[in-house]
Amino acid sequence: MKEVFDYILSIIKSRIFPIVLIFIILICVLVNRLFSLQIMNGSSYATNLNSSIQKKMSVTATRGRIFDKNGVLLAYNDLAYAVTISDSGTYSSNDVKNATINKSIDETLNIIEENGDTYSNDFPIIYENGTYSYNIESTTLLRFIRDSYGVSSIAELTDEQRDVSAEELFNYYLDKYAVSLDDYSVEHALMIVNLRRYMSANSYNRYLSFTIANEVSDATMAAILENSGELVGVQVEEKYIRRYTYGKYMSQILGYTGTVSSSELEELGDSYESNDVVGKSGIESSMESVLAGTKGSQTVYVDTVGRITEVISEEEATAGYDVYLTIDVNLQKTIYDDIEDELVTILASHLTSGSTKYTYDSDGDVEDIYITAQEVYYAFIDNNLLSLSQIASSDSSVAQSVYQSFLAKKSEVLGWVKEELASGNTGYSSLTSEQQVYIWYIYTLLKTEGIFDTSNVDTSDETYANWTGTDSTVSLQTLLTYGISQNWIDMSSLTDEQYTSLQESYDVLVDYIISALDTDSSFFKKIYKYLIEDGSVSGSQLCILLYEQGYLDPNAENSKYTELVNGSMGAYEFINYVITNKIITPGELALEPCSGSAVVTDPNSGDILALVSYPSYDNNKLSGSIDATYYSQLVSDNASPLLNRATQSFIAPGSTYKPCSAIAGLSTGIISSSTGFYCSGSFDLVTPSPKCWRTSGHGTETVTTAIRDSCNVYFYNVGYQLAMKNGSYNSTYGTSILQNYSDMLGLSTTVGVEIEEGTPQASTTNAIASAIGQGTHKYSTLNLARYVTTLATSGTVYNLTLIDKITDSDGNVIEDNSAEVNNQVELDSSIWDAVHTGMQLAGSTYSAVNALNLKIAAKTGTAQEKTTSPDHAQMISYAPYDNPEVCVAVTIQNGYTSSNAIALSAEIYKCYYGVE
């Protein structure tokens, strides 16, 4: 035993013992570490290893450019700095994640605002005047709600989810992402929620970044980089911004780009990711596959949270092709300005300082319609040139005087409404016109909010039929109490309580109505209307507020602010000045008339040379990331600038339809070129007898002179004869023949153009009225342009086109496009001669175009939609008559008379032919 002890002691005392001991300790540490890596945490590290290996990322291609027919640049890409965010942080819990990301976004928005930059939000929920609302509708809205609730299809949504209000859905998002309105402003909360939903939808690709703001300044960029340690996931990137050189002049054709939506992803396929920018409308959308190019790729290593740690290899993206349009942008721009000038002329010529809106002829029919100064003053409020919230919050004496008048009137109106609903019980027709406006507004409000559920209503019910009739003796109180008893009123949307008493339920409904009206800015506008009418709010006050609120610049060279304040310029003189000088445009006022459109075609090719819709919008403000405030203004604008009036606005064609009726009559043999009908001023074969526009009559007319003189009675006869079946008048038979010919001529069928167009409608009622372009005909200016192109070419019906050619970025032609011929109308040459001659004779009577020394074939049209609004003015034409080079179709909605359409057409020919 002693020997063993001595041996061990000798080893300890030896020089190699410390070295051996160190090796033993190192081996133990190594074994322990291997045990931990392979046994204790082996599966975890294996997972991390798998997720850290190669991933393939797409690289966005440069979007192709868009040019006009002459090579003028219309759309291009501009490199700018953008602030983006990605979900690249590591968090100990979901609560920490929510707090960190929300704070990062909020602080980033503060930096952007502090440096004078702006951010845009494409969230479909907006907040205005204390109210939340959607800025999308129909299927698009349902898809947004579907994605919000995380169900796979719209059909899976419950009724409660389908009917969710904008405010309720926003609150759902606030809870989901732990965003408190106590900590963040509503505007910031909307942006936070929107970015969070994008990030959540792409949690599996955490390296994807989403844009917070485009085109930030150097100051913003520096502040973001300086605070990068606190702004988790926020960075500054170089991005291409889509630019449009002609803004409002081309926006209805070009459209704009934006971040791809979930519904678009479904349609576009796997080659697109959720942060890609795609065409949203117009050429940008229809030519998406051509403009987008081919994505490149990067093979990278990413860590466990999706951050790129190393780029292994890259494959360059291929730029999109360039698109050349058939449009001549100089012609397009000139026509847009011409339409605006013509609208200014019409407004100025019908403006009156008096309160008389209508004058009447000896038969009691409306003879003329005026635009009163009071209508213009009210337009400042009704079309949001003036902000009601700014009137309420301003310290200026003028604003406070206006606001006090409003408060007094509001108190009076709400008091009357409450009393009327509680005990007034006045039949609707017995109310004053002002009271009817308030009561009908309440009824419409309840329907809009789904409280008055029209789907449950028996429309044949006596009470409801009386209410919706022309001379209703039913009061709103009666309608609502009866509606509650009939389950027309959804009380569950107002309260969770169950009331056994009808009166208790009705009282809850009345309280809701008063509460809703008390904060409803649209209802406030109704009140202001009558404040202006009774003089409680003056035109001068509202004109001054245009300057005080900054809508007009008081320091501008043409400012009339001082004259208004000191009284040397009256309100009527002021509105005359700003209208005639286009300081406030017809589109901004949104009165009747406020819109127009024109389409110019080349009859030898089917190319569209100009396609103009007035008013329009600036697509630069919508491209990339939608400016939600600007978009909201466009949506609420009474002039509907987002609507392409050349392709999507439909009205009766009036007398421009008469050449079609002539062709139908001549082709079917019911008339010949020599057939005469006598016009005495009325058509006496039916009762009541429809009138000719010339009440004294035209005498005997042939088809060519009837086109020249636009004789209604002649074409009443054509419509009547077409409808004769087996010896008796059959209107349906007559309209079916007319539709056959309008289809054949390309008038009542879609044109096939490369941007969004609506569907036209041939008349299906009253063959006699239909023959002069009334009835239920509905056509766009684009439809009229195709129709007159068919007439000019004696039967060539083109699918009109906007695309000239497609090239690569070096200018090499990839595709040379031309319009397809849809069909050829084969008619006897004598029929075409009769129509052409009639249109040439008509054109020769229009002094405005004759002054150009051009031989123009034309036909005007004046279509009445309702007697209380000005008629629509239209004209179709082509020139020169004997060898057509250009076709023109114009529409001025509510343009009063066809002479205004003639004047506009003359300006277009001046531009096209360079006539001074």
Side-chain angles (χ1 to χ4, degrees):
M1 187 67 177
K2 184 176 179 300
E3 291 82 359
V4 174
F5 178 76
D6 289 340
Y7 178 73
I8 295 172
L9 185 62
S10 65
I11 292 174
I12 294 173
K13 290 181 178 180
S14 68
R15 292 180 179 179
I16 64 170
F17 178 74
I19 297 173
V20 172
L21 183 61
I22 289 171
F23 272 108
I24 292 171
I25 292 171
L26 289 174
I27 290 170
C28 291
V29 171
L30 180 60
V31 170
N32 179 70
R33 184 59 178 159
L34 288 172
F35 182 82
S36 173
L37 288 172
Q38 296 186 18
I39 307 301
M40 300 293 292
N41 299 307
S43 61
S44 173
Y45 284 111
T47 300
N48 289 344
L49 178 63
N50 290 335
S51 64
S52 298
I53 58 176
Q54 294 181 11
K55 283 197 173 185
K56 198 168 187 178
M57 293 173 50
S58 63
V59 177
T60 303
T62 303
R63 196 169 183 84
R65 298 165 296 177
I66 304 175
F67 299 86
D68 87 334
K69 63 175 296 184
N70 299 312
V72 177
L73 187 62
L74 304 176
Y76 66 100
N77 311 296
D78 192 17
L79 196 60
Y81 287 110
V83 179
T84 65
I85 187 169
S86 59
D87 185 9
S88 57
T90 303
Y91 315 101
S92 59
S93 69
N94 196 53
D95 289 342
V96 173
K97 175 180 178 177
N98 284 331
T100 303
I101 297 178
N102 295 347
K103 184 180 179 184
S104 290
I105 297 172
D106 183 62
E107 291 181 354
T108 301
L109 297 178
N110 286 331
I111 290 173
I112 291 168
E113 292 169 337
E114 287 166 4
N115 287 286
D117 289 324
T118 59
Y119 58 88
S120 56
N121 189 355
D122 62 355
F123 195 45
I125 296 174
I126 58 175
Y127 180 77
E128 267 191 336
N129 299 321
T131 303
Y132 296 91
S133 60
Y134 296 112
N135 61 15
I136 53 177
E137 55 187 17
S138 63
T139 304
T140 306
L141 173 57
L142 289 174
R143 285 173 172 170
F144 168 60
I145 295 172
R146 174 201 65 187
D147 296 338
S148 298
Y149 286 116
V151 298
S152 58
S153 68
I154 293 172
E156 293 181 32
L157 291 170
T158 65
D159 290 341
E160 183 179 2
Q161 289 172 333
R162 280 174 172 268
D163 297 334
V164 66
S165 69
E167 184 171 6
E168 289 168 339
L169 189 55
F170 180 51
N171 287 330
Y172 165 81
Y173 273 112
L174 292 178
D175 292 338
K176 182 176 182 178
Y177 298 123
V179 180
S180 172
L181 293 181
D182 293 333
D183 300 326
Y184 309 109
S185 68
V186 174
E187 290 74 17
H188 281 200
L190 285 165
M191 189 67 173
I192 292 169
V193 162
N194 193 36
L195 289 167
R196 292 297 307 276
R197 76 185 181 102
Y198 279 131
M199 295 162 75
S200 293
N202 295 276
S203 56
Y204 54 90
N205 280 335
R206 298 178 66 189
Y207 52 81
L208 289 181
S209 62
F210 300 93
T211 301
I212 299 176
N214 281 315
E215 300 181 79
V216 296
S217 63
D218 291 342
T220 294
M221 181 175 64
I224 295 291
L225 295 175
E226 186 179 330
N227 293 277
S228 59
E230 299 173 7
L231 305 177
V232 179
V234 178
Q235 54 189 332
V236 177
E237 298 180 11
E238 284 187 338
K239 283 201 169 187
Y240 281 107
I241 307 299
R242 196 66 162 171
R243 305 279 194 199
Y244 301 102
T245 53
Y246 284 87
K248 65 182 181 181
Y249 297 109
M250 290 295 300
S251 61
Q252 296 285 5
I253 296 175
L254 298 181
Y256 55 92
T257 61
T259 304
V260 65
S261 67
S262 58
S263 58
E264 288 167 335
L265 275 174
E266 294 172 7
E267 297 168 5
L268 292 170
D270 297 336
S271 61
Y272 285 82
E273 296 176 307
S274 58
N275 64 340
D276 283 342
V277 171
V278 299
K280 290 288 186 177
S281 66
I283 293 295
E284 291 279 24
S285 175
S286 65
M287 302 299 289
E288 170 65 25
S289 61
V290 172
L291 292 165
T294 304
K295 286 185 176 182
S297 64
Q298 283 185 331
T299 304
V300 300
Y301 279 119
V302 295
D303 62 18
T304 55
V305 295
R307 291 172 296 195
I308 298 172
T309 58
E310 183 182 352
V311 177
I312 301 171
S313 63
E314 292 185 81
E315 182 180 332
E316 289 189 4
T318 304
Y321 291 140
D322 294 337
V323 173
Y324 285 75
L325 304 183
T326 58
I327 295 293
D328 180 337
V329 73
N330 290 325
L331 179 65
Q332 176 89 5
K333 181 177 180 296
T334 300
I335 293 174
Y336 186 94
D337 292 336
D338 287 341
I339 292 174
E340 187 169 75
D341 289 342
E342 188 60 34
L343 290 169
V344 167
T345 300
I346 298 169
L347 284 174
S349 64
H350 289 84
L351 188 64
T352 176
S353 59
S355 58
T356 299
K357 177 72 176 172
Y358 304 104
T359 58
Y360 302 89
D361 60 21
S362 57
D363 295 327
D365 297 325
V366 173
E367 188 172 47
D368 205 351
I369 301 174
Y370 294 96
I371 301 163
T372 67
Q374 290 179 337
E375 287 182 278
V376 179
Y377 306 144
Y378 178 58
F380 296 163
I381 288 176
D382 193 38
N383 207 34
N384 304 311
L385 278 66
L386 290 176
S387 164
L388 298 187
S389 60
Q390 286 189 50
I391 291 176
S393 61
S394 175
D395 293 330
S396 87
S397 58
V398 174
Q400 280 301 299
S401 175
V402 170
Y403 188 56
Q404 291 306 313
S405 297
F406 164 74
L407 289 178
K409 180 74 171 180
K410 174 187 170 186
S411 177
E412 174 192 326
V413 170
L414 290 182
W416 175 82
V417 168
K418 190 168 186 177
E419 182 180 349
E420 174 61 28
L421 292 177
S423 58
N425 204 27
T426 309
Y428 182 79
S429 60
S430 298
L431 298 170
T432 66
S433 58
E434 179 181 350
Q435 291 169 341
Q436 287 179 349
V437 167
Y438 299 141
I439 291 299
W440 194 259
Y441 183 87
I442 295 169
Y443 169 65
T444 305
L445 175 69
L446 294 176
K447 285 201 305 179
T448 302
E449 302 209 350
I451 296 169
F452 193 105
D453 189 354
T454 53
S455 64
N456 289 337
V457 175
D458 176 8
T459 55
S460 65
D461 182 276
E462 184 179 350
T463 300
Y464 185 76
N466 187 308
W467 169 258
T468 55
T470 55
D471 192 23
S472 174
T473 58
V474 171
S475 69
L476 183 60
Q477 179 191 26
T478 298
L479 178 72
L480 296 180
T481 52
Y482 183 70
I484 293 172
S485 69
Q486 297 296 309
N487 200 33
W488 298 348
I489 308 294
D490 181 13
M491 293 300 297
S492 65
S493 62
L494 303 178
T495 178
D496 294 329
E497 296 185 39
Q498 299 294 320
Y499 293 99
T500 57
S501 164
L502 175 61
Q503 186 61 48
E504 288 179 337
S505 297
Y506 180 69
D507 289 344
V508 170
L509 179 59
V510 171
D511 288 342
Y512 169 79
I513 291 170
I514 299 301
S515 176
L517 295 181
D518 191 46
T519 58
D520 187 341
S521 58
S522 295
F523 185 68
F524 295 168
K525 289 181 179 180
K526 307 295 182 187
I527 294 175
Y528 270 104
K529 181 178 189 293
Y530 293 101
L531 282 170
I532 294 168
E533 285 192 6
D534 66 23
S536 299
V537 171
S538 71
S540 292
Q541 288 176 311
L542 298 175
C543 294
I544 290 170
L545 287 177
L546 289 172
Y547 287 106
E548 292 189 350
Q549 289 195 4
Y551 192 84
L552 298 179
D553 183 2
N555 299 312
E557 184 179 349
N558 58 9
S559 172
K560 300 298 177 183
Y561 177 64
T562 302
E563 289 95 322
L564 284 169
V565 171
N566 65 29
S568 61
M569 173 177 272
Y572 181 71
E573 183 184 356
F574 173 79
I575 60 173
N576 249 311
Y577 174 78
V578 295
I579 289 173
T580 55
N581 288 279
K582 297 197 292 186
I583 297 168
I584 296 178
T585 66
E588 290 172 288
L589 289 175
L591 296 169
E592 293 179 341
C594 68
S595 63
S597 56
V599 178
V600 180
T601 67
D602 181 345
N604 298 304
S605 65
D607 288 349
I608 298 175
L609 306 180
L611 189 150
V612 184
S613 173
Y614 179 92
S616 188
Y617 62 94
D618 185 356
N619 49 357
N620 287 292
K621 293 184 179 180
L622 299 184
S623 200
S625 296
I626 288 179
D627 183 333
T629 301
Y630 180 65
Y631 185 76
S632 176
Q633 290 172 355
L634 296 177
V635 170
S636 61
D637 193 319
N638 295 331
S640 302
L642 288 172
L643 176 68
N644 188 332
R645 293 187 180 273
T647 65
Q648 296 173 309
S649 185
F650 297 89
I651 60 174
S655 295
T656 61
Y657 190 79
K658 288 173 181 175
C660 177
S661 296
I663 289 172
L666 290 165
S667 182
T668 57
I670 65 161
I671 60 169
S672 69
S673 57
S674 61
T675 300
F677 292 114
Y678 182 77
C679 171
S680 64
S682 67
F683 180 67
D684 301 327
L685 294 181
V686 293
T687 304
S689 300
K691 306 293 184 183
C692 187
W693 67 267
R694 186 174 183 176
T695 56
S696 61
H698 289 98
T700 300
E701 296 267 23
T702 63
V703 67
T704 54
T705 62
I707 292 174
R708 178 197 64 192
D709 299 333
S710 198
C711 178
N712 287 350
V713 169
Y714 189 94
F715 289 100
Y716 289 149
N717 275 286
V718 172
Y720 182 79
Q721 295 295 334
L722 287 172
M724 294 301 291
K725 184 178 183 182
N726 299 324
S728 61
Y729 176 75
N730 185 322
S731 180
T732 303
Y733 179 68
T735 55
S736 66
I737 295 174
L738 287 172
Q739 178 169 356
N740 179 50
Y741 280 90
S742 58
D743 284 352
M744 188 188 303
L745 295 169
L747 175 58
S748 49
T749 56
T750 53
V751 173
V753 73
E754 293 88 356
I755 59 176
E756 301 85 354
E757 63 169 316
T759 304
Q761 171 187 307
S763 181
T764 57
T765 61
N766 194 339
I768 295 171
S770 297
I772 68 162
Q774 294 292 152
T776 56
H777 288 295
K778 297 292 181 185
Y779 307 121
S780 69
T781 309
L782 180 63
N783 297 135
L784 293 178
R786 187 196 206 187
Y787 163 57
V788 73
T789 304
T790 302
L791 298 178
T793 57
S794 296
T796 303
V797 183
Y798 289 105
N799 290 333
L800 300 177
T801 185
L802 285 163
I803 306 299
D804 181 24
K805 62 183 177 181
I806 297 168
T807 73
D808 63 19
S809 56
D810 295 323
N812 300 308
V813 176
I814 305 300
E815 180 183 340
D816 204 349
N817 186 60
S818 60
E820 295 181 356
V821 175
N822 184 74
N823 62 284
Q824 184 73 42
V825 182
E826 301 292 347
L827 297 176
D828 188 276
S829 61
S830 64
I831 296 177
W832 291 118
D833 289 344
V835 171
H836 292 160
T837 301
M839 292 181 67
Q840 189 274 321
L841 291 173
S844 68
T845 66
Y846 307 150
S847 58
V849 293
N850 281 331
L852 306 178
N853 293 320
L854 291 170
K855 203 171 184 181
I856 294 175
K859 186 71 199 78
T860 58
T862 305
Q864 185 180 82
E865 192 165 329
K866 52 185 180 179
T867 58
T868 54
S869 292
D871 295 340
H872 304 304
Q874 298 168 301
M875 179 166 150
I876 58 173
S877 59
Y878 61 86
Y881 163 69
D882 48 2
N883 185 24
E885 298 173 342
V886 60
C887 299
V888 177
V890 303
T891 301
I892 306 175
Q893 289 176 269
N894 306 115
Y896 282 84
T897 70
S898 58
S899 61
N900 295 321
I902 295 170
L904 175 58
S905 298
E907 293 300 319
I908 294 173
Y909 281 111
K910 282 182 186 178
C911 176
Y912 184 83
Y913 283 108
V915 177
E916 292 296 334

